[in-house]
Amino acid sequence: MLIPAGQHPKAIAIARALIEGFDKHYSIFQDMSRAAKTRFEAGDWHAVQAASKERIRYYDERVDECVARLHDEFHADWLDDDIWQQAKLLFVGMLVNHKQPELAETFFNSVCCKILHRNYFHNDFIFVRPAISTEYIESDPPTYRSYYPRSGGFRQTLRKILDDFAWQRRFADVERDIDYVLAAVLKHLGGSWPEVEVNFQIQVLSSAFYRNKAAYIIGKAVNGSVEYPFAVPVLHDEQGRLYLDTILLQPARIAILFSLNRAYFMVDMASPSGYVTFLRSMLPFKPKAELYTMLGLAKQGKTVFYRDLMSHLRHSRDDFIIAPGIRGLVMLVFTLPSFPYVFKLIKDEIAPTKDVTQEIVRAKYQLVKQHDRVGRMADTLEFSNVALPKARFTEELLTELRTLAPSLLEENESEVVIRHLYIERRMEPLNLFLNRASTAQLEAAVTDYGNAIRELATANIFPGDMLFKNFGITRYGRVVFYDYDEIEYMTDCHFRDIPEAPSPEMEMASEPWYPVARNDVFPEEFARFLLGPNEIRRVFLQHHRDLLTARFWQAKQERIRGGHVEDFFPYPIELRFSEQAKVASS
């Protein structure tokens, strides 16, 4: 890049230091993402879990490293405004041919917001708006590969697609799997193939999407003006051979793969914006913020989300209000009815019945961020110093904030600044849903509530407080847990049967007749706290009676401690080719 005459040497050096800091971060990020292929091929599922957890902390480490450098080398606290403004303009120039300009701008913001006062958080000093377009960035390798079945036919094209991923494990029966795929596509199309247009092609994202024990092939078929998105999970069989488990063809099914209730993908991307653009063409209803987050780029997801929120506030008129439902003992929750998210603060004084502190609650939320959420725990966006328009707060909400969380609040005439805030997708609390549900809806929700507890246990998570108010119903009808102040690792809990009472009098006493340690859990008690004498009890006991026994939980602990990593399928089991083959043969 040519440096314009008259630029301050410190501004030039700061801009270069910021670029170098970001490039180091993305190099590490890409190396770890690229290695996901090797971990998948090796079937090293514990390494997969460790890498997913480790990658999350890398960004903050690189930001802190760059902040320290600016302080050490340039005395960042003492620089005047002109130098900071010049540094930003020079930084923009350095991004002209960059492959990840939007991520670099976010890195710039992350560093500068740790140095500059909040009064400088506007577009003269940081990237409130993006400066560099991400359209048409050339990528090597290209973002996607195109295949033309007209010349070689479907079967040969599908083989070529699989070959191009170059997995070092062989397939158990690739011809069988291709037969399954072709049959599923034909059924989806209503039993007949559409007329092939001149432009007919299959576009496949160059990198597989790795998560848990699966690699996903993501792409779409283009025929004339019609596009057909698809996702194909590739798994290991018991002999370590690869096979295609199913093909997802409905956009809603594919969107669930990118739900924030699941772990982030590992994807080897030279230009992430190209991947997001491609995914948006398949899933136009998925916000860019969520796609960036699910690609492992959580900070970029936060940046895009915040811009979306500010834009929404400019174009809406409703007020922030206290969220409907039972008030929490730990968190203060509010929402903007026209915006599908809730905003959560940790109260200054937590109810004495909750044996936690603010620090413990933050640690629990971080645990969830780093853990495999298996589609059953809501992911959160964590923000600091969020400025919101004061005029959009109801007086009732302002009173709650001032009373329950004054240490997190800063006010002036026009703004409310919240020093620490969690934001997550809004769901209807399960207790409210059950109050209005039909008989069929209630049965499905209570059954899935038990399934959620089972899957969390399998993933080494004990929810702790399992009251219905701490679970929500997603727009897809799935039960998800979202209250984390009492969660524990399963392996840290001691599940016990209640010992027999020495006498009837002791059994009727208000205090237990047996000693109880901090992490002791008595599953027999769940029914008393969770289930009333109604239809909910009947449904729960019909499907999940074993959750009320210590043996269920102890058996889960044994499998976890034995090193077993379970399969979690983010699609209905009946869609699996193996299940369909069983039905066909019966």
Side-chain angles (χ1 to χ4, degrees):
M1 161 188 174
L2 294 175
I3 304 297
Q7 297 299 323
H8 196 288
K10 273 194 177 179
I12 298 169
I14 287 170
R16 284 181 174 150
L18 286 160
I19 281 285
E20 289 167 6
F22 169 75
D23 287 344
K24 178 179 179 181
H25 153 68
Y26 198 75
S27 176
I28 294 171
F29 175 90
Q30 197 168 16
D31 286 346
M32 179 163 276
S33 301
R34 187 177 295 123
K37 180 174 183 285
T38 303
R39 291 188 288 270
F40 171 74
E41 290 169 336
D44 191 346
W45 311 130
H46 292 288
V48 169
Q49 292 176 334
S52 297
K53 182 176 181 178
E54 195 175 354
R55 187 180 64 170
I56 290 172
R57 63 179 174 80
Y58 279 174
Y59 183 88
D60 288 336
E61 288 178 357
R62 298 290 80 73
V63 168
D64 291 343
E65 200 174 83
C66 197
V67 168
R69 180 181 175 186
L70 295 189
H71 281 303
D72 292 344
E73 295 184 20
F74 309 107
H75 304 290
D77 288 335
W78 301 98
L79 298 175
D80 62 35
D81 292 359
D82 286 344
I83 290 177
W84 283 114
Q85 287 180 298
Q86 287 182 35
K88 183 194 170 185
L89 291 173
L90 291 164
F91 189 84
V92 171
M94 295 175 183
L95 296 179
V96 170
N97 294 313
H98 207 281
K99 302 300 182 188
Q100 308 94 30
E102 78 281 25
L103 308 187
E105 291 176 358
T106 291
F107 186 86
F108 182 102
N109 287 354
S110 296
V111 173
C112 290
C113 287
K114 282 181 171 281
I115 297 172
L116 300 174
H117 185 271
R118 190 168 50 80
N119 292 341
Y120 290 83
F121 294 1
H122 53 80
N123 211 53
D124 289 345
F125 294 91
I126 65 172
F127 293 94
V128 175
R129 299 185 300 274
I132 300 293
S133 171
T134 57
E135 293 188 51
Y136 308 114
I137 293 177
E138 293 184 5
S139 174
D140 184 22
T143 297
Y144 63 88
R145 297 187 286 261
S146 292
Y147 303 85
Y148 295 87
R150 286 170 62 97
S151 59
F154 268 124
R155 185 171 292 276
Q156 182 176 326
T157 299
L158 293 178
R159 282 197 213 96
K160 175 63 174 168
I161 290 171
L162 295 176
D163 289 345
D164 283 347
F165 284 101
W167 285 304
Q168 298 303 300
R169 280 183 179 264
R170 67 184 185 87
F171 278 80
D173 190 342
V174 73
E175 297 302 324
R176 175 203 63 191
D177 292 349
I178 289 174
D179 285 340
Y180 284 149
V181 168
L182 293 176
V185 172
L186 186 60
K187 181 180 179 181
H188 178 73
L189 294 172
S192 61
W193 298 100
E195 182 179 347
V196 173
E197 303 283 351
V198 175
N199 72 328
F200 178 53
Q201 60 188 282
I202 299 175
Q203 299 174 352
V204 178
L205 286 167
S206 294
S207 172
F209 285 51
Y210 296 95
R211 181 172 65 195
N212 299 335
K213 298 167 74 172
Y216 294 86
I217 298 170
I218 306 288
K220 61 184 177 181
V222 180
N223 190 39
S225 60
V226 182
E227 296 186 353
Y228 304 89
F230 63 85
V232 179
V234 183
L235 305 180
H236 287 220
D237 69 10
E238 292 179 355
Q239 287 75 46
R241 300 169 300 179
L242 303 183
Y243 68 96
L244 308 183
D245 195 48
T246 189
I247 180 168
L248 305 177
L249 296 161
Q250 297 173 315
R253 296 263 187 234
I254 299 170
I256 289 173
L257 297 180
F258 294 88
S259 164
L260 291 177
N261 304 326
R262 298 191 178 275
Y264 307 142
F265 287 108
M266 293 261 184
V267 188
D268 181 12
M269 306 168 289
S271 178
S273 60
Y275 276 72
V276 170
T277 298
F278 190 99
L279 291 169
R280 285 273 287 172
S281 73
M282 297 170 55
L283 309 169
F285 48 87
K286 262 290 179 187
K288 284 176 66 176
E290 291 188 12
L291 292 174
Y292 270 112
T293 299
M294 291 309 298
L295 292 173
L297 300 165
K299 294 296 182 180
Q300 187 61 26
K302 284 174 57 174
T303 295
V304 177
F305 172 87
Y306 188 74
R307 288 170 178 160
D308 288 345
L309 172 59
M310 293 299 104
S311 175
H312 182 84
L313 287 170
R314 288 193 294 272
H315 296 283
S316 62
R317 294 291 179 268
D318 57 331
D319 290 335
F320 290 105
I321 61 171
I322 298 169
I326 299 173
R327 306 287 173 87
L329 300 176
V330 175
M331 307 295 284
L332 189 162
V333 186
F334 66 94
T335 189
L336 186 69
S338 63
F339 197 62
Y341 294 84
V342 292
F343 304 78
K344 304 170 72 171
L345 302 77
I346 306 173
K347 294 179 179 179
D348 280 9
E349 292 189 14
I350 296 172
T353 55
K354 292 283 190 176
D355 186 21
V356 294
T357 63
Q358 288 190 344
E359 292 71 24
I360 289 174
V361 175
R362 289 194 187 199
K364 302 286 189 183
Y365 272 79
Q366 186 63 19
L367 182 158
V368 172
K369 172 70 71 175
Q370 296 177 346
H371 199 79
D372 183 0
R373 291 178 291 282
V374 298
R376 296 299 189 175
M377 291 191 288
D379 190 19
T380 54
L381 302 174
E382 187 176 3
F383 285 89
S384 299
N385 297 317
V386 178
L388 298 170
K390 190 172 185 176
R392 301 290 291 275
F393 282 72
T394 64
E395 195 57 41
E396 181 188 19
L397 175 56
L398 280 174
T399 300
E400 285 261 303
L401 290 168
R402 291 163 181 158
T403 304
L404 301 178
S407 71
L408 297 179
L409 206 62
E410 182 181 331
E411 295 182 63
N412 56 40
E413 289 186 4
S414 60
E415 289 181 328
V416 172
V417 179
I418 300 174
R419 295 192 177 96
H420 187 254
L421 183 66
Y422 295 105
I423 303 176
E424 66 188 36
R425 268 276 181 186
R426 185 168 63 223
M427 290 174 273
E428 182 175 8
L430 182 57
N431 61 309
L432 299 185
F433 177 84
L434 293 175
N435 287 339
R436 66 169 183 81
S438 66
T439 300
Q441 289 175 325
L442 183 145
E443 177 137 9
V446 173
T447 302
D448 201 48
Y449 163 75
N451 291 337
I453 293 171
R454 290 178 185 277
E455 291 174 22
L456 288 171
T458 301
N460 197 21
I461 291 292
F462 177 62
D465 190 344
M466 296 190 291
L467 294 173
F468 294 137
K469 71 182 182 67
N470 297 326
F471 291 76
I473 292 278
T474 72
R475 51 192 160 165
Y476 298 109
R478 189 171 176 83
V479 174
V480 172
F481 183 57
Y482 55 57
D483 192 315
Y484 305 139
D485 56 86
E486 291 190 24
I487 65 170
E488 299 285 351
Y489 287 120
M490 284 280 294
T491 46
D492 290 340
C493 297
H494 183 206
F495 295 96
R496 297 174 53 191
D497 292 313
I498 296 176
E500 188 175 345
S503 66
E505 292 77 17
M506 294 188 73
E507 187 172 11
M508 298 299 294
S510 59
E511 295 297 322
W513 60 89
Y514 46 88
V516 180
R518 183 183 180 279
N519 276 15
D520 280 352
V521 180
F522 299 90
E524 293 167 68
E525 295 182 331
F526 295 167
R528 180 159 59 93
F529 292 114
L530 302 176
L531 309 176
N534 54 22
E535 185 68 4
I536 291 174
R537 170 180 285 270
R538 182 195 68 77
V539 174
F540 186 90
L541 293 179
Q542 178 184 342
H543 296 281
H544 302 297
R545 185 181 293 271
D546 58 335
L547 294 180
L548 306 179
T549 67
R551 183 60 199 145
F552 166 84
W553 300 91
Q554 291 163 357
K556 289 292 184 185
Q557 287 179 314
E558 289 169 13
R559 287 178 69 80
I560 294 165
R561 288 170 178 152
H564 184 78
V565 178
E566 297 280 357
D567 293 296
F568 293 99
F569 301 102
Y571 41 84
I573 299 300
E574 57 267 24
L575 292 183
R576 301 186 67 200
F577 292 146
S578 58
E579 293 297 315
Q580 294 173 6
K582 290 178 188 175
V583 172
S585 63
S586 62

